[in-house]
Amino acid sequence: MTDAQDTAADSSLRTTGGAPPDDAGSSVPEAPIPLLEPREGIPQVIADDAALAEAVAAFRAGSGPVAVDAERASGYRYGQRAYLVQLRRAGAGSALIDPVACPDLSGLGEALSGVEWVLHAATQDLPCLREIGMAPTRLFDTELAGRLAGFPRVGLGAMVESVLGFVLEKGHSAVDWSTRPLPEPWLRYATLDVELLVDLRDALEKELDRQGKLEWAHQEFDAIASAPPAEPRKDPWRRTSGMHKVRRRRQLAVVRELWQTRDRIAQRRDVSPGKVLSDTAIVEAALALPATVQALAAVNGFGHRTGRRQLEQWQAAVDRAKALTDAQLPSPGQPVTGPPPPRAWADKDPVAAARLSTARAAVSALAERLAMPQENLITPDTVRRVCWEPPKDLDAESVAGALAAHGARPWQVEQVTPVLVAALSARAS
C-alpha cells in the first residue's frame, strides 16, 4: 500500500470523500481530501550527531526512491542556505534535519548514492543541498515532469491536488525558516511536503509513459543531476531592480558602489540585502547623485529611520563612485557573447529576423502539439543562436549538430530538427 492509499484509508486525516487515482488513471474526485497530519506524526527534528547517525542508517536500509526537500530563509537571511531538510523513504519514514546544528550531511548523501531522489523544482534546492554535502546521482523532478506532461499548474500543491486528490497546507512556504525553535505548524507543513512526493512521482511516471515522454523526462533529469554548479554571476549589481532608469556611467558607478556596500553589510549581519537597503533607494541615489549627507537623507528610501552613521556610510559609497576616473566607470552594458537582442535583429540583419520569426512560430506550434511549454521543448536562446548563425547546409544532420552543440538533449534534437530545417529552408529559398 502506498503512502497516498494509506493516507486515504485513514479517515482521521480527511474531512470529505474522495480517493487518489487508481492505476488505470481514473479522474480525481471533485472534492479533494485535506491532508491535515503526517501519517506517523511530526518527527523530532534531528539536531545532533547521534540522531543523524540513526537517520543515516535508517535511510540507507530503506527501499525505493527518497523524497527530498529543503527550506531556505529567502528574504530574511543572506544567501540561499538550507535551514531545514526533509526526507521520506519507504522503510525509513520521514525525517526532519536541522542543517544549522548538523552542517555536514555528506554521510547521508553517501548513504543515498545511487538512489533516485525525488524533488519538486530540483534546481531550486540542489545548490543549498550541495553546500551541506548532498547531491543526487539520479533524480526525478516532479515539477519538470508536470511541465513535460502538459499540466497547466505545476506548483507542488496544485500537482498533489490534481494528480493525487489531496490538498496540502500552503501557509508557511515563505516564513523565516532560520527561526529557532521552529514552530510545530511549520514542522507539520514541512513534513507534509514530502509525505506524498514519491506517490506523485509514480503517478507522473505513468502519465509520461502513456504520452510517450518518459525517456524525454529521464534525459532532462539526468542533465540536471550531472550539471556542474552554476558559475558566479558576473556583475550581479546590474540586476538591481529599476536599473533601466540609470543611463549615465557615473550613475552606474553609484549603483555598483551602493550595491557592493550593501552586500558586505548584509553578509556580515546575515540578513537579506533588501533588509539593509532597498533596490529603489539605490537607484534613486544614483539618479540624484547627492553631494552631502543632508541631500542623501532627502532621497526616497533614506528616510527618517536611517541613522546619521548609516547615512554617512551610504554617502561615502556615493562619493567613491563620484571620485572615479572616466576609465574606471562601468560600461553601460555587459559584453554580448551571443546574438543581439531580438528587437535589434530587424536593423542589424533583416534576413535573420525573418528566420527567427518563422522558426519561433514553428517551434511554438510544435510545443502546442506536444502539450508542453515552449521553453521546455527547446530554450529560446538555442533557437536564437541557430537562427542568427545557421549551419551552412540546412539539412537535418547539420541542424541537429547545431542544436546539440548548444546543449539540446537528444530528444529535443529529434523533435525540433525537422521543424527548424523546414523553417530555415523556407526563408533561405
Side-chain angles (χ1 to χ4, degrees), residues 44-83:
Q44 189 75 26
V45 177
I46 295 169
D48 60 61
D49 291 343
L52 178 59
E54 291 182 8
V56 170
F59 277 86
R60 188 193 303 274
S63 61
V66 58
V68 182
D69 192 20
E71 305 295 347
R72 301 178 297 279
S74 304
Y76 298 94
R77 296 288 183 174
Y78 184 86
Q80 295 295 317
R81 68 170 296 181
Y83 283 94

mmCIF file of all heavy atoms in Angstrom, residues 44-83:
data_model
loop_
_atom_site.group_PDB
_atom_site.id
_atom_site.type_symbol
_atom_site.label_atom_id
_atom_site.label_comp_id
_atom_site.label_asym_id
_atom_site.label_seq_id
_atom_site.Cartn_x
_atom_site.Cartn_y
_atom_site.Cartn_z
ATOM 1 N N GLN A 44 10.669 14.157 15.312
ATOM 2 C CA GLN A 44 11.550 15.030 16.085
ATOM 3 C C GLN A 44 12.633 15.571 15.157
ATOM 4 O O GLN A 44 13.206 14.839 14.355
ATOM 5 C CB GLN A 44 12.195 14.242 17.225
ATOM 6 C CG GLN A 44 12.968 15.076 18.222
ATOM 7 C CD GLN A 44 12.063 15.854 19.158
ATOM 8 O OE1 GLN A 44 10.934 15.441 19.396
ATOM 9 N NE2 GLN A 44 12.548 16.980 19.662
ATOM 10 N N VAL A 45 12.911 16.867 15.269
ATOM 11 C CA VAL A 45 13.956 17.462 14.432
ATOM 12 C C VAL A 45 15.320 16.915 14.838
ATOM 13 O O VAL A 45 15.677 16.916 16.027
ATOM 14 C CB VAL A 45 13.947 19.001 14.547
ATOM 15 C CG1 VAL A 45 15.096 19.598 13.734
ATOM 16 C CG2 VAL A 45 12.614 19.563 14.061
ATOM 17 N N ILE A 46 16.069 16.435 13.862
ATOM 18 C CA ILE A 46 17.405 15.877 14.115
ATOM 19 C C ILE A 46 18.398 17.030 14.231
ATOM 20 O O ILE A 46 18.586 17.799 13.280
ATOM 21 C CB ILE A 46 17.799 14.922 12.981
ATOM 22 C CG1 ILE A 46 16.863 13.711 12.983
ATOM 23 C CG2 ILE A 46 19.256 14.489 13.103
ATOM 24 C CD1 ILE A 46 16.987 12.835 11.758
ATOM 25 N N ALA A 47 19.042 17.134 15.401
ATOM 26 C CA ALA A 47 19.922 18.274 15.643
ATOM 27 C C ALA A 47 21.205 17.872 16.355
ATOM 28 O O ALA A 47 21.881 18.724 16.935
ATOM 29 C CB ALA A 47 19.179 19.335 16.455
ATOM 30 N N ASP A 48 21.571 16.595 16.328
ATOM 31 C CA ASP A 48 22.851 16.178 16.909
ATOM 32 C C ASP A 48 23.385 14.976 16.131
ATOM 33 O O ASP A 48 22.664 14.320 15.373
ATOM 34 C CB ASP A 48 22.721 15.858 18.398
ATOM 35 C CG ASP A 48 21.733 14.738 18.684
ATOM 36 O OD1 ASP A 48 21.952 13.604 18.202
ATOM 37 O OD2 ASP A 48 20.730 14.996 19.373
ATOM 38 N N ASP A 49 24.663 14.681 16.346
ATOM 39 C CA ASP A 49 25.336 13.643 15.560
ATOM 40 C C ASP A 49 24.747 12.259 15.790
ATOM 41 O O ASP A 49 24.662 11.446 14.864
ATOM 42 C CB ASP A 49 26.833 13.636 15.884
ATOM 43 C CG ASP A 49 27.541 14.883 15.368
ATOM 44 O OD1 ASP A 49 26.949 15.562 14.495
ATOM 45 O OD2 ASP A 49 28.657 15.175 15.837
ATOM 46 N N ALA A 50 24.341 11.975 17.017
ATOM 47 C CA ALA A 50 23.814 10.643 17.312
ATOM 48 C C ALA A 50 22.503 10.403 16.568
ATOM 49 O O ALA A 50 22.304 9.340 15.949
ATOM 50 C CB ALA A 50 23.605 10.485 18.817
ATOM 51 N N ALA A 51 21.599 11.387 16.622
ATOM 52 C CA ALA A 51 20.318 11.244 15.916
ATOM 53 C C ALA A 51 20.541 11.198 14.410
ATOM 54 O O ALA A 51 19.849 10.464 13.693
ATOM 55 C CB ALA A 51 19.389 12.398 16.288
ATOM 56 N N LEU A 52 21.514 11.972 13.929
ATOM 57 C CA LEU A 52 21.804 11.971 12.491
ATOM 58 C C LEU A 52 22.316 10.597 12.061
ATOM 59 O O LEU A 52 21.927 10.084 11.007
ATOM 60 C CB LEU A 52 22.830 13.051 12.164
ATOM 61 C CG LEU A 52 23.270 13.142 10.700
ATOM 62 C CD1 LEU A 52 22.079 13.419 9.786
ATOM 63 C CD2 LEU A 52 24.338 14.229 10.522
ATOM 64 N N ALA A 53 23.167 9.990 12.860
ATOM 65 C CA ALA A 53 23.694 8.661 12.514
ATOM 66 C C ALA A 53 22.567 7.633 12.427
ATOM 67 O O ALA A 53 22.570 6.768 11.546
ATOM 68 C CB ALA A 53 24.727 8.231 13.557
ATOM 69 N N GLU A 54 21.601 7.724 13.329
ATOM 70 C CA GLU A 54 20.453 6.815 13.278
ATOM 71 C C GLU A 54 19.651 7.019 11.993
ATOM 72 O O GLU A 54 19.206 6.056 11.362
ATOM 73 C CB GLU A 54 19.559 7.032 14.495
ATOM 74 C CG GLU A 54 20.167 6.582 15.822
ATOM 75 C CD GLU A 54 19.209 6.789 16.983
ATOM 76 O OE1 GLU A 54 18.038 7.134 16.731
ATOM 77 O OE2 GLU A 54 19.637 6.609 18.139
ATOM 78 N N ALA A 55 19.474 8.288 11.622
ATOM 79 C CA ALA A 55 18.720 8.582 10.399
ATOM 80 C C ALA A 55 19.460 8.079 9.167
ATOM 81 O O ALA A 55 18.851 7.517 8.251
ATOM 82 C CB ALA A 55 18.473 10.087 10.287
ATOM 83 N N VAL A 56 20.766 8.257 9.138
ATOM 84 C CA VAL A 56 21.564 7.772 8.004
ATOM 85 C C VAL A 56 21.399 6.262 7.860
ATOM 86 O O VAL A 56 21.187 5.740 6.757
ATOM 87 C CB VAL A 56 23.049 8.151 8.182
ATOM 88 C CG1 VAL A 56 23.911 7.434 7.138
ATOM 89 C CG2 VAL A 56 23.236 9.661 8.065
ATOM 90 N N ALA A 57 21.476 5.548 8.966
ATOM 91 C CA ALA A 57 21.324 4.084 8.926
ATOM 92 C C ALA A 57 19.928 3.694 8.450
ATOM 93 O O ALA A 57 19.767 2.755 7.654
ATOM 94 C CB ALA A 57 21.599 3.496 10.311
ATOM 95 N N ALA A 58 18.909 4.411 8.922
ATOM 96 C CA ALA A 58 17.537 4.092 8.533
ATOM 97 C C ALA A 58 17.307 4.331 7.050
ATOM 98 O O ALA A 58 16.692 3.500 6.360
ATOM 99 C CB ALA A 58 16.553 4.924 9.361
ATOM 100 N N PHE A 59 17.815 5.435 6.530
ATOM 101 C CA PHE A 59 17.593 5.734 5.114
ATOM 102 C C PHE A 59 18.467 4.866 4.219
ATOM 103 O O PHE A 59 18.079 4.552 3.094
ATOM 104 C CB PHE A 59 17.811 7.226 4.858
ATOM 105 C CG PHE A 59 16.601 8.051 5.173
ATOM 106 C CD1 PHE A 59 16.370 8.517 6.453
ATOM 107 C CD2 PHE A 59 15.661 8.336 4.189
ATOM 108 C CE1 PHE A 59 15.238 9.250 6.762
ATOM 109 C CE2 PHE A 59 14.530 9.066 4.478
ATOM 110 C CZ PHE A 59 14.312 9.524 5.774
ATOM 111 N N ARG A 60 19.612 4.459 4.717
ATOM 112 C CA ARG A 60 20.434 3.518 3.949
ATOM 113 C C ARG A 60 19.713 2.179 3.806
ATOM 114 O O ARG A 60 19.763 1.525 2.768
ATOM 115 C CB ARG A 60 21.786 3.315 4.630
ATOM 116 C CG ARG A 60 22.781 2.504 3.790
ATOM 117 C CD ARG A 60 23.966 2.074 4.638
ATOM 118 N NE ARG A 60 24.640 3.189 5.260
ATOM 119 C CZ ARG A 60 25.594 3.917 4.685
ATOM 120 N NH1 ARG A 60 25.975 3.630 3.448
ATOM 121 N NH2 ARG A 60 26.165 4.905 5.334
ATOM 122 N N ALA A 61 19.008 1.771 4.862
ATOM 123 C CA ALA A 61 18.314 0.486 4.861
ATOM 124 C C ALA A 61 16.947 0.556 4.193
ATOM 125 O O ALA A 61 16.321 -0.485 3.961
ATOM 126 C CB ALA A 61 18.152 -0.013 6.301
ATOM 127 N N GLY A 62 16.461 1.752 3.882
ATOM 128 C CA GLY A 62 15.160 1.900 3.250
ATOM 129 C C GLY A 62 15.157 1.366 1.830
ATOM 130 O O GLY A 62 16.168 0.883 1.318
ATOM 131 N N SER A 63 14.008 1.454 1.187
ATOM 132 C CA SER A 63 13.886 0.931 -0.174
ATOM 133 C C SER A 63 13.198 1.945 -1.074
ATOM 134 O O SER A 63 12.423 2.789 -0.611
ATOM 135 C CB SER A 63 13.094 -0.380 -0.181
ATOM 136 O OG SER A 63 11.776 -0.162 0.314
ATOM 137 N N GLY A 64 13.496 1.858 -2.361
ATOM 138 C CA GLY A 64 12.841 2.715 -3.349
ATOM 139 C C GLY A 64 13.375 4.138 -3.349
ATOM 140 O O GLY A 64 14.361 4.462 -2.672
ATOM 141 N N PRO A 65 12.726 5.007 -4.107
ATOM 142 C CA PRO A 65 13.164 6.407 -4.195
ATOM 143 C C PRO A 65 13.053 7.112 -2.851
ATOM 144 O O PRO A 65 12.302 6.690 -1.966
ATOM 145 C CB PRO A 65 12.196 7.016 -5.220
ATOM 146 C CG PRO A 65 11.570 5.860 -5.924
ATOM 147 C CD PRO A 65 11.547 4.735 -4.945
ATOM 148 N N VAL A 66 13.780 8.205 -2.700
ATOM 149 C CA VAL A 66 13.713 9.017 -1.489
ATOM 150 C C VAL A 66 13.209 10.408 -1.851
ATOM 151 O O VAL A 66 13.707 11.034 -2.790
ATOM 152 C CB VAL A 66 15.080 9.097 -0.781
ATOM 153 C CG1 VAL A 66 16.162 9.667 -1.692
ATOM 154 C CG2 VAL A 66 14.980 9.936 0.493
ATOM 155 N N ALA A 67 12.182 10.865 -1.158
ATOM 156 C CA ALA A 67 11.674 12.217 -1.345
ATOM 157 C C ALA A 67 12.554 13.174 -0.559
ATOM 158 O O ALA A 67 12.879 12.927 0.602
ATOM 159 C CB ALA A 67 10.225 12.313 -0.864
ATOM 160 N N VAL A 68 12.954 14.287 -1.191
ATOM 161 C CA VAL A 68 13.856 15.251 -0.560
ATOM 162 C C VAL A 68 13.327 16.665 -0.787
ATOM 163 O O VAL A 68 12.865 17.002 -1.879
ATOM 164 C CB VAL A 68 15.291 15.136 -1.133
ATOM 165 C CG1 VAL A 68 16.237 16.114 -0.426
ATOM 166 C CG2 VAL A 68 15.817 13.714 -1.016
ATOM 167 N N ASP A 69 13.400 17.472 0.240
ATOM 168 C CA ASP A 69 13.003 18.883 0.137
ATOM 169 C C ASP A 69 13.890 19.686 1.071
ATOM 170 O O ASP A 69 14.499 19.137 2.001
ATOM 171 C CB ASP A 69 11.527 19.049 0.512
ATOM 172 C CG ASP A 69 10.973 20.430 0.157
ATOM 173 O OD1 ASP A 69 11.582 21.111 -0.693
ATOM 174 O OD2 ASP A 69 9.957 20.828 0.734
ATOM 175 N N ALA A 70 13.984 20.967 0.843
ATOM 176 C CA ALA A 70 14.770 21.850 1.711
ATOM 177 C C ALA A 70 14.043 23.170 1.848
ATOM 178 O O ALA A 70 13.391 23.637 0.914
ATOM 179 C CB ALA A 70 16.171 22.061 1.128
ATOM 180 N N GLU A 71 14.147 23.758 3.021
ATOM 181 C CA GLU A 71 13.548 25.071 3.282
ATOM 182 C C GLU A 71 14.656 26.084 3.499
ATOM 183 O O GLU A 71 15.596 25.854 4.266
ATOM 184 C CB GLU A 71 12.636 25.015 4.517
ATOM 185 C CG GLU A 71 11.548 23.949 4.461
ATOM 186 C CD GLU A 71 10.514 24.189 3.377
ATOM 187 O OE1 GLU A 71 10.486 25.299 2.806
ATOM 188 O OE2 GLU A 71 9.734 23.256 3.097
ATOM 189 N N ARG A 72 14.546 27.226 2.814
ATOM 190 C CA ARG A 72 15.516 28.304 2.950
ATOM 191 C C ARG A 72 14.851 29.486 3.660
ATOM 192 O O ARG A 72 13.678 29.431 4.004
ATOM 193 C CB ARG A 72 16.037 28.705 1.571
ATOM 194 C CG ARG A 72 16.710 27.546 0.838
ATOM 195 C CD ARG A 72 17.175 27.933 -0.548
ATOM 196 N NE ARG A 72 16.071 28.298 -1.417
ATOM 197 C CZ ARG A 72 15.305 27.434 -2.057
ATOM 198 N NH1 ARG A 72 15.508 26.141 -1.911
ATOM 199 N NH2 ARG A 72 14.323 27.842 -2.825
ATOM 200 N N ALA A 73 15.604 30.536 3.847
ATOM 201 C CA ALA A 73 15.067 31.733 4.505
ATOM 202 C C ALA A 73 15.202 32.928 3.568
ATOM 203 O O ALA A 73 15.679 33.990 3.956
ATOM 204 C CB ALA A 73 15.774 31.991 5.827
ATOM 205 N N SER A 74 14.784 32.729 2.321
ATOM 206 C CA SER A 74 14.873 33.787 1.314
ATOM 207 C C SER A 74 14.094 35.012 1.786
ATOM 208 O O SER A 74 12.970 34.904 2.267
ATOM 209 C CB SER A 74 14.307 33.291 -0.018
ATOM 210 O OG SER A 74 14.971 32.122 -0.442
ATOM 211 N N GLY A 75 14.714 36.168 1.647
ATOM 212 C CA GLY A 75 14.080 37.402 2.071
ATOM 213 C C GLY A 75 14.341 37.741 3.530
ATOM 214 O O GLY A 75 13.999 38.833 3.985
ATOM 215 N N TYR A 76 14.953 36.809 4.257
ATOM 216 C CA TYR A 76 15.263 37.035 5.670
ATOM 217 C C TYR A 76 16.765 36.984 5.934
ATOM 218 O O TYR A 76 17.297 37.800 6.684
ATOM 219 C CB TYR A 76 14.567 35.995 6.552
ATOM 220 C CG TYR A 76 13.071 36.043 6.485
ATOM 221 C CD1 TYR A 76 12.365 35.218 5.607
ATOM 222 C CD2 TYR A 76 12.342 36.910 7.295
ATOM 223 C CE1 TYR A 76 10.980 35.251 5.541
ATOM 224 C CE2 TYR A 76 10.957 36.956 7.237
ATOM 225 C CZ TYR A 76 10.289 36.118 6.356
ATOM 226 O OH TYR A 76 8.915 36.168 6.299
ATOM 227 N N ARG A 77 17.439 35.995 5.349
ATOM 228 C CA ARG A 77 18.860 35.789 5.600
ATOM 229 C C ARG A 77 19.683 35.995 4.336
ATOM 230 O O ARG A 77 19.167 35.923 3.215
ATOM 231 C CB ARG A 77 19.096 34.373 6.124
ATOM 232 C CG ARG A 77 18.450 34.109 7.482
ATOM 233 C CD ARG A 77 19.178 34.843 8.581
ATOM 234 N NE ARG A 77 18.616 34.553 9.903
ATOM 235 C CZ ARG A 77 19.142 34.977 11.035
ATOM 236 N NH1 ARG A 77 20.244 35.706 11.016
ATOM 237 N NH2 ARG A 77 18.571 34.677 12.184
ATOM 238 N N TYR A 78 20.972 36.206 4.520
ATOM 239 C CA TYR A 78 21.870 36.364 3.381
ATOM 240 C C TYR A 78 22.112 35.005 2.735
ATOM 241 O O TYR A 78 22.336 34.014 3.406
ATOM 242 C CB TYR A 78 23.199 36.958 3.845
ATOM 243 C CG TYR A 78 24.153 37.257 2.720
ATOM 244 C CD1 TYR A 78 24.094 38.468 2.038
ATOM 245 C CD2 TYR A 78 25.099 36.325 2.315
ATOM 246 C CE1 TYR A 78 24.964 38.748 0.994
ATOM 247 C CE2 TYR A 78 25.973 36.593 1.274
ATOM 248 C CZ TYR A 78 25.895 37.805 0.615
ATOM 249 O OH TYR A 78 26.746 38.076 -0.427
ATOM 250 N N GLY A 79 22.072 34.975 1.423
ATOM 251 C CA GLY A 79 22.339 33.735 0.708
ATOM 252 C C GLY A 79 21.136 32.813 0.672
ATOM 253 O O GLY A 79 20.027 33.173 1.070
ATOM 254 N N GLN A 80 21.376 31.601 0.195
ATOM 255 C CA GLN A 80 20.301 30.636 -0.022
ATOM 256 C C GLN A 80 20.584 29.314 0.675
ATOM 257 O O GLN A 80 20.269 28.248 0.153
ATOM 258 C CB GLN A 80 20.118 30.410 -1.529
ATOM 259 C CG GLN A 80 19.638 31.620 -2.296
ATOM 260 C CD GLN A 80 18.235 32.038 -1.873
ATOM 261 O OE1 GLN A 80 17.357 31.208 -1.693
ATOM 262 N NE2 GLN A 80 18.023 33.336 -1.699
ATOM 263 N N ARG A 81 21.175 29.366 1.874
ATOM 264 C CA ARG A 81 21.495 28.133 2.584
ATOM 265 C C ARG A 81 20.216 27.446 3.065
ATOM 266 O O ARG A 81 19.165 28.066 3.209
ATOM 267 C CB ARG A 81 22.408 28.410 3.776
ATOM 268 C CG ARG A 81 21.766 29.202 4.897
ATOM 269 C CD ARG A 81 22.641 29.235 6.141
ATOM 270 N NE ARG A 81 22.813 27.908 6.716
ATOM 271 C CZ ARG A 81 23.512 27.672 7.823
ATOM 272 N NH1 ARG A 81 24.113 28.663 8.448
ATOM 273 N NH2 ARG A 81 23.596 26.445 8.289
ATOM 274 N N ALA A 82 20.330 26.164 3.314
ATOM 275 C CA ALA A 82 19.195 25.390 3.815
ATOM 276 C C ALA A 82 19.098 25.540 5.327
ATOM 277 O O ALA A 82 20.108 25.503 6.037
ATOM 278 C CB ALA A 82 19.372 23.919 3.449
ATOM 279 N N TYR A 83 17.870 25.684 5.817
ATOM 280 C CA TYR A 83 17.631 25.758 7.254
ATOM 281 C C TYR A 83 16.803 24.570 7.758
ATOM 282 O O TYR A 83 16.618 24.414 8.954
ATOM 283 C CB TYR A 83 16.941 27.073 7.610
ATOM 284 C CG TYR A 83 17.906 28.237 7.618
ATOM 285 C CD1 TYR A 83 18.064 29.035 6.489
ATOM 286 C CD2 TYR A 83 18.681 28.507 8.737
ATOM 287 C CE1 TYR A 83 18.965 30.083 6.491
ATOM 288 C CE2 TYR A 83 19.587 29.563 8.751
ATOM 289 C CZ TYR A 83 19.730 30.340 7.621
ATOM 290 O OH TYR A 83 20.635 31.377 7.626
#
